[in-house]
Amino acid sequence: MTTQSDADIIRASRHEPECFAVVFDRYYDAVHGYAARRLGVSLADDVAAETFLIAFDRRQSYDVTRADARPWLYGIASNLIARHHRAEVRLYRALARTGLDQVAEGHADRVAVRIDAQAARAPLAAALAEIADRDRDVLLLVAWADLGLQEAGEALGIPAGTARSRLHRARKQIRAALGETDPTSLGEDLDR
């Protein structure tokens, strides 16, 4: 079952609920990591768990023409994160003041952080706190959850063109806050 598409697994889980565990195993760490970066570790456990509980409860209505469940799961997580908006903004403002990264915990996270990113962390956190929620959602789904614009649009229930506009607006604000550099840039191909 681990080589099947997410859609096949979700379809099977409608009659054999235990099959849904494969989707959980595939994506829990990624969804948890995304929630931790957005809200901090203390709320990430709850958001990730609730994301999969909601997904399990809604598996009957999952569109099985979509082989990849990541946009669906990140959409659920983004909606839950929106409920915690004040906590997210407080986290970004605290990071802006302290410059400390309270979210990165694992060895891989520490290795992956570049020296120049350390210098940009406080202004980046301040800029993230000021970006409109809907623009920040698209930006972070693309930059942190590694979704393409089409997938980010699916996750948020908006057209890809709207996701592109929101991403452009968010990146413009980030560049302005960081002296015209963009740490969220993923290259030229924005349509992944």
Side-chain angles (χ1 to χ4, degrees):
M1 180 157 277
T2 58
T3 60
Q4 291 181 319
S5 73
D6 298 338
D8 290 338
I9 294 166
I10 292 169
R11 184 183 301 115
S13 77
R14 292 172 177 170
H15 302 289
E16 298 175 49
E18 63 277 2
C19 293
F20 196 81
V22 175
V23 173
F24 179 89
D25 291 342
R26 280 184 185 172
Y27 300 114
Y28 179 83
D29 289 341
V31 169
H32 184 274
Y34 177 70
R37 292 180 88 175
R38 297 274 317 254
L39 297 172
V41 176
S42 63
L43 292 173
D45 293 340
D46 293 339
V47 168
E50 193 171 353
T51 295
F52 285 93
L53 179 62
I54 290 169
F56 181 79
D57 288 344
R58 294 182 184 167
R59 71 189 187 282
Q60 295 293 341
S61 62
Y62 179 76
D63 180 1
V64 293
T65 64
R66 298 181 188 267
D68 185 0
R70 287 180 331 130
W72 179 58
L73 294 169
Y74 281 115
I76 295 168
S78 292
N79 287 334
L80 293 170
I81 289 167
R83 293 183 190 166
H84 296 284
H85 170 71
R86 286 190 303 268
E88 181 181 26
V89 171
R90 276 194 308 270
L91 174 67
Y92 293 141
R93 289 189 176 141
L95 289 173
R97 283 191 308 273
T98 64
L100 299 176
D101 186 359
Q102 300 169 359
V103 176
E105 292 184 342
H107 177 69
D109 288 334
R110 287 190 300 273
V111 171
V113 176
R114 297 186 330 244
I115 293 172
D116 59 340
Q118 185 69 27
R121 184 167 289 130
L124 177 59
L128 285 171
E130 298 305 317
I131 293 174
D133 297 348
R134 64 181 192 226
D135 296 345
R136 183 174 47 243
D137 285 342
V138 173
L139 175 75
L140 297 180
L141 283 170
V142 169
W144 288 353
D146 199 29
L147 295 183
L149 283 172
Q150 183 70 34
E151 294 170 317
E154 288 175 26
L156 298 172
I158 59 175
T162 302
R164 179 184 302 279
S165 297
R166 290 179 183 181
L167 179 63
H168 174 74
R169 202 170 25 248
R171 283 183 168 165
K172 186 176 176 181
Q173 285 183 265
I174 295 293
R175 278 192 295 271
L178 299 178
E180 299 307 314
T181 61
D182 184 359
T184 66
S185 179
L186 296 174
E188 298 299 317
D189 182 14
L190 295 178
D191 295 320
R192 291 188 294 133

